Amino acid sequence: MEKPVIIGVGMVPVGEHWRVSLRDMAVEALLNAMEDAGIDKVDSLYVGNMASGSFIEQENLGALIADWAGLGNIPAVKVEAACGSGGAAVQEGAKAVMSGLEDVVAVVGVEKMTDAWPSDATRYLAYAADAEWELFHGASFVALNALIMRLYMKTYGYTEEDLAHFAVNAHRNGAKNPYAMFKKEIKLETVLNSPYVADPIKLFDAAPMCDGAAAVIITSKEKAKELGVPKDRMVELAGFWRAIDTINLANREDFLTLKAARVAAEKAYKMAGVTAKDIDFFEVHDAFTVMAALSLEALGVAEKGKGAVLAKEGQIAIDGDYPIQTMGGLKARGHPVGATGVYQTVEAVLQLRGEAPEGIQVPDAEIGLTQNIGGTGSNITVNILRRV
Amino acid sequence: MGKPMQVARHWRHFREKYALIGGKCENGHVFFPKRPICPVCGSRNVEEYQFSGKGKVISWTIVRNPPSGFEYYRPYPLALVQLEEGPVVLAQLTDVEPDEIDFGMEVEMVTRKVREFDEDGIILYAYKFRPVLK
């Protein structure tokens, strides 16, 4: 089956955007992507979003955003897979193009988190867990990830410092990304001296609450040619898949294996005809430092239990063997939950076009991988992008 | 913004949350909570199963920035407890100091208050786990 291509990307800087609303951000990112693609209309819209109903009492985002972006009477729906919503929305857009039903599809990921009190926001994020058996007992999302981190450290003999290297790497790259929330390098001590949110997770092990929107335009190669898009502006979505695991962490067979990521990655590698060794950079879901380690293991980059070694030895830096979080990742760019997967996609496209900011461009990048996690690993998307 | 049927929502789970009753399939797999299809073998022949309430801590955390509704209790310990029958449950630990918690600590189920002071006025009770009394 013919693989779809991304021909336009757009985003707004991630941050605490008190002056703008969800619709403002989504429309801006969307119009930026359409302008980048050189088009003024699309056949349909897919919105990646996790919890707009809880955060701002607004559902029906398909109609809201398509209406305010002036897209006319097109099909438009919201795609929800918790923090993995953005990556999932990109896949739904790609499937629509591959089916032949829709020619040019827009995907926008958006989340407005800072209109809520922090404790309410903490509650809404926990809606991605099992409400009856996790949130009921007072489990925040950070707490569930903390249970995983403690077990990871105990099982493989790692310290908090070992995992802190992931945060340092993310900030080093984010400092050079004008769209990142935290454009500031940090030291290991910054992470280690930050307060516990849920032991052993400290403030600097975790991605921030924030607002943001990112968008991509997906079409077929044939249509892209017809639209006059030059070949070097096309990035192929070479392989993609997603899978679920138990929603309740306690029910998981192995707390230290992201099985959903493993399944999704195996299928995506096969579809793209590549292996982990062929990938030039990885945008993994480092909502918490331990998740970056587990992700590298699930994607086949590191052996089980060895993910943290790559960070310690510096192999995840831009000039390392396995660059990750090239534009700051969730930790430094920011993690507007339902938008994150689309930000990752935009960043991968910029890397593959050679348009990443100075200092964080991965030299001669041909193939990139994005991995977007919903829940505590319960709903995971893997996308592989390749230069055409 | 009250949700009038919250009472029914919690009442539906009394057997699990007050008595730690889970499920057992025809092939002998036990699990918690009970579900209509055995997560191990897929059998649809599932009966109720009473867990002993004894277990050990396999991981834990201290919740310092809780979700709304739990602010009053912070900080509180939350753990993954492996029951002696095998399945793992997530629950709060009680009657224990944070620095006393350790891997493998033997615990037993007790019924405790989980939450009150909510806008709907419901006081929620459920299982928590405390160190085994010697």
Side-chain angles (χ1 to χ4, degrees), chain B:
Chain B
M1 296 230 298
K3 300 187 184 78
M5 293 312 287
Q6 290 291 293
V7 172
R9 183 182 164 201
H10 297 299
W11 165 79
R12 286 197 286 270
H13 289 295
F14 277 4
R15 294 178 69 72
E16 291 107 320
K17 285 178 179 168
Y18 288 4
L20 213 62
I21 289 172
K24 182 178 184 178
C25 79
E26 59 189 331
N27 297 314
H29 303 121
V30 291
F31 39 90
F32 184 88
K34 183 172 178 258
R35 43 168 94 194
I37 299 169
C38 173
V40 181
C41 67
S43 163
R44 299 188 180 207
N45 190 354
V46 172
E47 289 175 354
E48 285 193 346
Y49 180 78
Q50 172 76 60
F51 285 93
S52 69
K54 295 267 199 295
K56 58 181 188 194
V57 171
I58 58 173
S59 191
W60 75 98
T61 184
I62 309 296
V63 183
R64 297 171 192 276
N65 293 50
S68 50
F70 290 89
E71 293 96 334
Y72 179 85
Y73 301 96
R74 88 175 122 192
Y76 50 89
L78 195 72
L80 289 172
V81 172
Q82 181 151 37
L83 302 172
E84 64 180 3
E85 296 87 349
V88 177
V89 295
L90 175 98
Q92 285 186 30
L93 298 179
T94 186
D95 306 351
V96 64
E97 292 300 320
D99 58 5
E100 291 168 10
I101 306 169
D102 202 359
F103 295 102
M105 185 174 79
E106 290 182 19
V107 291
E108 61 192 3
M109 181 218 160
V110 285
T111 303
R112 289 284 191 274
K113 186 160 68 186
V114 173
R115 189 155 69 96
E116 61 172 320
F117 315 113
D118 209 17
E119 61 192 4
D120 49 24
I122 300 176
I123 302 173
L124 299 177
Y125 292 86
Y127 50 79
K128 290 189 184 182
F129 286 82
R130 72 174 173 204
V132 170
L133 295 180
K134 305 272 182 197

Side-chain angles (χ1 to χ4, degrees), chain A residues 348-388:
Chain A
V349 168
L350 293 176
Q351 283 286 0
L352 296 170
R353 284 188 193 166
E355 293 173 1
E358 207 186 325
I360 47 175
Q361 173 70 52
V362 176
D364 307 316
E366 290 279 342
I367 307 174
L369 181 151
T370 67
Q371 175 242 23
N372 191 196
I373 304 179
T376 49
S378 60
N379 205 336
I380 306 186
T381 291
V382 173
N383 292 333
I384 297 171
L385 297 93
R386 178 160 53 195
R387 227 197 279 179
V388 171

Side-chain angles (χ1 to χ4, degrees), chain A residues 107-142:
Chain A
V107 178
V108 60
V110 62
E111 202 81 55
K112 181 87 181 96
M113 303 169 73
T114 65
D115 284 359
W117 288 111
S119 63
D120 284 334
T122 299
R123 164 164 288 267
Y124 306 150
L125 292 175
Y127 291 172
D130 190 322
E132 220 49 88
W133 309 104
E134 297 183 308
L135 177 57
F136 176 92
H137 296 282
S140 66
F141 221 70
V142 189

Side-chain angles (χ1 to χ4, degrees), chain A residues 238-259:
Chain A
F240 60 88
W241 201 254
R242 63 174 186 263
I244 66 109
D245 203 339
T246 64
I247 185 163
N248 183 346
L249 176 66
N251 292 158
R252 210 152 294 167
E253 202 182 313
D254 175 356
F255 300 108
L256 301 180
T257 296
L258 293 176
K259 187 131 180 241

